Amino acid sequence: MSSPRQFADLPYASHLRPFDGHLTVDGDYDTVHFDGGEFDGAEAGQARFLESAFSAVSFTGGRYRGARFNDVWLDGVRWVGSDLADGDWLDGELIGCVLAGLEMFGTAMHRVTFHRCKFESVNLRTAELREVTFADCLLRDTDLGGAKLTNVAFPGSTLDGVRCGNARMARVDLRDATRLGITEGIDALRGAAITGSQLLELAPQFAQALGVTVQESGTALTPRTAKRRRRGA
């Protein structure tokens, strides 16, 4: 896993100009540097960000539905309580960002890397993630229900309360994740790679999903106890 790029490493860094103004619906932002600004309740649906950088920017609330982010670099960005649904992210890099309470359902991400980012209650239902890497990230209460994940990896990342119901996975690598806290959709891991130790950790959930009762021999098995076992009682 390569190290995150610094601002000076960006191929378009010398072409960036400081952003001065307001975000608008259907706005075009090409080779712009958003540096340390605060955007509260911005209306920027269908906006397009091309070869742009975001440094220590704070976004609170607002609507960015359908926005496109093409070849963008975000460092230390805080994005809270915003509507980013149906967005399109291509060739993005996010470093040390906080994403909390975001609506990102229906989002398409291709060749996007997250370094040391924190996800808190992010809705990625029905999203499509291709060639996406979560490196040393925390994904807490993240919803991937119905999402499609292809060539996605989680090296050094912690999954805590992640929901994967009806997700579809192909070539998803979970082997280097530090924790697999999956609370829903354990059967959706078909198409994912895990280690033997992770398999042991997830065994009770796999058994429950398959309707298997795990019980020591010599104990009477009744319909009631079997039902309680399946519920984890």
Side-chain angles (χ1 to χ4, degrees):
M1 183 66 208
S2 60
S3 300
R5 292 179 296 176
Q6 301 298 313
F7 179 82
D9 298 329
L10 300 177
Y12 49 82
S14 61
H15 302 290
L16 293 172
R17 63 186 190 280
F19 176 75
D20 182 17
H22 300 280
L23 295 175
T24 61
V25 174
D26 207 32
D28 277 304
Y29 307 98
D30 190 345
T31 56
V32 175
H33 186 199
F34 298 84
D35 189 7
E38 295 185 6
F39 298 90
D40 190 356
E43 296 286 339
Q46 305 298 323
R48 292 167 292 278
F49 301 88
L50 174 64
E51 292 189 337
S52 294
F54 301 75
S55 302
V57 182
S58 178
F59 296 93
T60 304
R63 289 184 288 185
Y64 305 84
R65 185 167 294 204
R68 298 180 61 185
F69 299 84
N70 191 341
D71 203 353
V72 294
W73 179 88
L74 291 77
D75 182 26
V77 171
R78 183 177 177 83
W79 216 318
V80 179
S82 303
D83 183 353
L84 285 155
D86 298 322
D88 189 282
W89 295 71
L90 174 64
D91 294 320
E93 186 172 15
L94 293 84
I95 307 161
C97 298
V98 174
L99 310 174
L102 300 182
E103 293 294 343
M104 298 185 74
F105 57 84
T107 294
M109 292 186 183
H110 187 198
R111 295 194 300 268
V112 177
T113 302
F114 298 90
H115 298 274
R116 304 187 305 276
C117 292
K118 180 179 180 180
F119 290 73
E120 188 85 41
S121 300
V122 175
N123 181 359
L124 282 164
R125 294 184 66 84
T126 68
E128 183 172 350
L129 280 58
R130 291 186 295 141
E131 297 179 55
V132 174
T133 299
F134 300 90
D136 302 314
C137 295
L138 169 63
L139 287 78
R140 177 179 291 140
D141 296 328
T142 299
D143 194 345
L144 290 166
K148 183 177 181 180
L149 287 72
T150 307
N151 288 329
V152 178
F154 298 82
S157 290
T158 297
L159 281 64
D160 181 9
V162 172
R163 298 182 294 282
C164 302
N166 298 317
R168 293 168 293 166
M169 300 186 184
R171 299 179 297 282
V172 172
D173 194 346
L174 292 163
R175 293 173 297 173
D176 292 321
T178 59
R179 184 184 175 214
L180 296 182
I182 298 173
T183 58
E184 179 184 319
I186 195 71
D187 54 335
L189 293 184
R190 181 183 289 111
I194 61 176
T195 66
S197 60
Q198 289 172 330
L199 176 60
L200 291 176
E201 178 185 351
L202 295 172
Q205 292 170 264
F206 279 121
Q208 185 176 22
L210 292 170
V212 174
T213 299
V214 180
Q215 183 175 338
E216 296 302 322
S217 62
T219 303
L221 182 63
T222 65
R224 182 177 180 181
T225 58
K227 185 175 182 182
R228 291 179 60 192
R229 292 287 181 177
R230 286 196 298 272
R231 289 179 177 175

